[in-house]
Amino acid sequence: MARKFLYVMAGLIAIVIAAAFAYRIWGNDLVRMAMVPGEAFEAQAATPESAYADKRMWLARPDIANNPAQWLPTGVQRTEPGAAAVFFIHPTSYLVRNHWNAPLDDAEANARAALFLRGQASAFNAVGEIWAPHYRQATFGAFLTTKADAQRALDLAYGDVTAAFDAFLAQIGPDRPIILAGHSQGALHLERLLRDRIAKDPALGRRIVAAYIVGWPVSRTTDLPLLGLPECTRADQAGCILSWESFAEPADPSLILDTYDASTGFNGQPRKGTPIVCTNPLTGTANASAPAGANAGTLFPDKDLTTAAITASRVPARCDSRGLLLIGTPPDVGPYVLPGNNYHVYDYSLFWANVRTDAARRLAAFEP
């Protein structure tokens, strides 16, 4: 199993290197051609909430063995988890164009998702028990096209997420404080969940300690007012939203911003040109700048990705005028930097220790 996993990771590295080379020559059009499925979307039955009573439908939950969200980097001591229940939606780990949605039993996609939980969801394991569902995620190429099938794929994935969220609520009970977090596609689904569920249920909204919509752009103008929670403006604020997208400099965010600018916000108005929510994870505040010395710890993985060292004072962060988080000179944190100096894969791990502290601070400030 370990050898197979290493083969998978070696293949991923080769894909990223080849994609970066091709991007430099042919640009965004080639990326879209290589990743967007050619087949038509295949409608599938909705997943019922009852399906998530099965432990096998979860990548992480308190009662499963080998929970990847319980991982800790070398040198970090495990503590008794806090009182919160954490609902974490993993990012896209299905990278092929065979289907618009990942089969739930796709071994490679599930292995990547578990790896993402280690570097992302683990930042929250001191504040409470973590629940992270399997779901029929849309493939990576769904984010590179305006085809109607892409939205159908995302809707199918979101249906699974909502079923899992209902099961999560039923199992944690009616009173526990909740932290919501996601990354990339998971953050997109979280944003919809806030609009559809949290904003429309004041009692549920009062239980939210914080919502981390990381690696997905949230428009301050067309989206934020409909999410039921305000943007976090203080480091000790509870009941608010944090969001950032990380780029080293010089940054080329065109692949992200082209899609964002072509989209419609939750209020029905175009997102084009609207400011993006940017929380600086080093300060826990909006539109802020902080030097590398404020970074309490970045994850630097070992070669086989089985563990990581945590090193402080290596990566700065500042929000730019559009709402992107710029991190200065490209740090060497691994081989998965995307075209345009996009450190999307590392949005959490660049600031792992600060996110961990941030969640604990907001939980301490939370008042039911």
Side-chain angles (χ1 to χ4, degrees), residues 29-210:
D29 289 342
L30 182 66
V31 176
R32 293 186 177 98
M33 183 174 65
M35 303 303 295
V36 176
E39 66 171 23
F41 171 79
E42 181 180 346
Q44 301 177 49
T47 300
E49 175 189 339
S50 59
Y52 284 95
D54 188 339
K55 290 191 290 187
R56 292 173 297 181
M57 289 292 287
W58 297 86
L59 280 158
R61 59 182 258 175
D63 57 351
I64 65 173
N66 302 315
N67 183 340
Q70 289 303 310
W71 175 86
L72 287 174
T74 303
V76 175
Q77 298 299 313
R78 189 172 305 282
T79 60
E80 192 68 23
V86 181
F87 186 74
F88 188 91
I89 312 169
H90 72 76
T92 307
S93 61
Y94 187 60
L95 306 180
V96 297
R97 62 193 299 266
N98 298 6
H99 305 288
W100 282 98
N101 291 86
L104 288 172
D105 61 355
D106 187 283
E108 290 189 6
N110 289 337
R112 291 186 199 112
L115 185 67
F116 286 137
L117 290 192
R118 287 163 62 91
Q120 297 177 350
S122 62
F124 299 100
N125 62 29
V127 294
E129 297 172 338
I130 298 174
W131 302 66
H134 286 289
Y135 66 100
R136 290 171 294 181
Q137 60 183 287
T139 188
F140 177 72
F143 297 94
L144 304 176
T145 179
T146 57
K147 289 182 178 180
D149 280 350
Q151 188 58 53
R152 295 185 184 105
L154 290 167
D155 290 342
L156 178 68
Y158 177 63
D160 284 2
V161 169
T162 58
F165 183 65
D166 287 336
F168 162 79
L169 291 177
Q171 295 187 61
I172 67 169
D175 301 317
R176 288 181 70 180
I178 296 168
I179 290 176
L180 301 173
H183 183 250
S184 191
Q185 178 172 173
L188 168 63
H189 297 316
L190 175 54
E191 187 183 23
R192 290 182 67 179
L193 195 68
L194 286 164
R195 179 195 64 181
D196 296 346
R197 299 294 302 279
I198 307 305
K200 296 177 181 178
D201 186 341
L204 181 57
R206 286 191 291 271
R207 296 173 62 186
I208 307 302
V209 175

Side-chain angles (χ1 to χ4, degrees), residues 1-8 306:
M1 180 64 185
R3 180 176 296 176
K4 181 178 179 181
F5 177 73
L6 291 178
Y7 287 157
V8 170
T306 58

Side-chain angles (χ1 to χ4, degrees), residues 6 26 38 58 72 121 127 177 188 223 239 259 275 285 295 305 341 352:
L6 291 178
W26 292 290
W58 297 86
L72 287 174
V127 294
L188 168 63
D223 300 332
T259 301
T285 58
N295 193 322
L305 304 178
N341 262 341
W352 189 90

